[in-house]
Amino acid sequence: MSVARSLLNAWLRRVERPHLARAKDPQRLRRSFELKARLFLHGPRGATREEGTLEHGGRQVPALHVRAREAGEGPVVLYLHGGGYVFGSPRTHAAMLATLSREARCRVVLPDYAKAPDRAFPAAVEDALCAYRALEAEPGGVILGGDSAGGGLALAILGEIVRLGLRRPRGLFAFSPLTDMTFSGASLRENAACDAVLPAERAGEMAEMYLAGHDPADPRASPLFAGFAGAPPVWLCVGDTEILRDDARRMAERLRAQGVEVQLREHHDLPHVWPLFHNVLPEGRATLREVAGWIRSL
């Protein structure tokens, strides 16, 4: 493991995790993340960002189209950003996805799906499914992606795609996905003290804000309980010190039990969604290159 990993973990534990533990106002969280992304997260030169709208069945979802100079006309990645369903945006993740666009040589579309508490469950699922339906006829096909809550959202709409009998995407990848809103995984307790980013004590509050009284075991909220028979290949990664470690482990087990081809990468002591820190973290760059190779193999 790199020296950068140790330094980044120390900074995250000292600065970012306490900030997430005490922040109460969603608007302040959103502004803080946007500012830090502009200051610290940078994509490759020549990459373009274009705002647009995805529409299906009369529903419209704002979206950011990201494309590196090296991107071709193959499949499009539909990427759902993380942020606990409360904060984050296509802009906070655009640099990482521009880097992935360069490595995978494909276009990326990031929908700006509904956030809680402004628009609670199932609005985010409906927006994400609308975005997929708007792109499903792409000649090169669609690859779903996401991180954290967005990774769970990607898996949730994959479950809906299978349930509804829609055209399948070519594959799905997720970084540190949140797959179980009942929080029954042992790692939520076992890794509560060592997770570098996520404060375990805020999980229930986030779920309450997002679910607004809905059943946390609903497969659209917790894809761990969804059906995936006939789904395309899935690639997952997670850190062994994350509170969401068991969300990824159990998700991989459920997918395999239903006959889905799964690759799970579990790395030691890397922070939550470490590819986001690709500018300073060699392991982040390596993971983006690995998932890019997996995308090209599809």
Side-chain angles (χ1 to χ4, degrees):
M1 290 292 181
S2 68
V3 173
R5 181 216 61 171
S6 298
L7 295 173
L8 177 62
N9 277 343
W11 178 76
L12 290 170
R13 290 187 174 109
R14 182 178 293 270
V15 178
E16 286 303 313
R17 179 172 158 166
H19 170 67
L20 290 175
R22 65 175 178 263
K24 298 295 183 182
D25 181 6
Q27 292 297 337
R28 291 187 66 183
L29 271 173
R30 293 168 189 171
R31 289 194 297 268
S32 174
F33 196 4
E34 295 278 346
L35 176 61
K36 291 169 184 172
R38 287 199 301 272
L39 291 175
F40 303 121
L41 307 180
H42 306 288
R45 291 182 179 180
T48 60
R49 305 180 185 185
E50 182 180 348
E51 294 185 357
T53 303
L54 299 173
E55 182 175 0
H56 178 79
R59 190 184 190 97
Q60 294 186 339
V61 181
L64 186 67
H65 297 253
V66 175
R67 184 176 187 138
R69 286 185 299 194
E70 296 82 358
E73 295 301 326
V76 59
V77 171
L78 177 64
Y79 192 88
L80 300 161
H81 68 81
Y85 294 112
V86 174
F87 59 102
S89 75
R91 295 176 299 279
T92 58
H93 287 62
M96 177 177 71
L97 273 302
T99 303
L100 182 65
S101 174
R102 180 188 66 192
E103 298 294 335
R105 299 190 292 275
C106 62
R107 299 168 292 135
V108 182
V109 180
L110 297 96
D112 195 1
Y113 60 85
K115 308 296 186 304
D118 313 75
R119 294 170 61 201
F121 179 84
V125 180
E126 292 169 347
D127 278 355
L129 191 58
C130 169
Y132 177 77
R133 296 299 303 272
L135 295 171
E136 66 179 332
E138 285 282 326
V142 180
I143 296 168
L144 294 173
D147 66 271
S148 195
L153 185 55
L155 285 158
I157 67 167
L158 179 60
E160 286 296 281
I161 289 165
V162 169
R163 184 181 69 84
L164 296 170
L166 304 179
R167 180 178 178 179
R168 306 293 202 261
R170 294 179 63 172
L172 180 149
F173 66 94
F175 307 130
S176 307
L178 168 60
T179 67
D180 178 14
M181 295 291 282
T182 71
F183 302 121
S184 59
S187 60
L188 191 75
R189 300 178 300 277
E190 293 173 356
N191 289 343
C194 58
D195 191 306
V197 178
L198 298 181
E201 66 270 20
R202 299 296 299 274
E205 182 182 347
M206 179 274 293
E208 183 179 346
M209 196 179 300
Y210 173 58
L211 292 171
H214 286 84
D215 182 3
D218 187 318
R220 296 172 300 167
S222 297
L224 184 63
F225 308 117
F228 292 98
V234 172
W235 186 100
L236 305 173
C237 72
V238 72
D240 64 355
T241 54
E242 293 193 58
I243 61 173
L244 297 183
R245 180 198 65 199
D246 288 355
D247 281 50
R249 284 182 179 178
R250 292 179 299 151
M251 190 75 244
E253 291 171 0
R254 180 165 180 85
L255 288 164
R256 289 180 184 130
Q258 297 183 55
V260 180
E261 178 187 330
V262 182
Q263 295 185 45
L264 173 63
R265 300 288 187 263
E266 186 172 317
H267 294 274
H268 176 59
D269 200 25
L270 283 174
H272 183 61
V273 194
W274 66 88
L276 197 62
F277 305 103
H278 60 94
N279 292 135
V280 298
L281 191 64
E283 292 89 344
R285 294 190 292 274
T287 296
L288 289 177
R289 287 193 296 268
E290 182 179 357
V291 77
W294 177 82
I295 288 171
R296 291 195 302 271
S297 76
L298 296 177

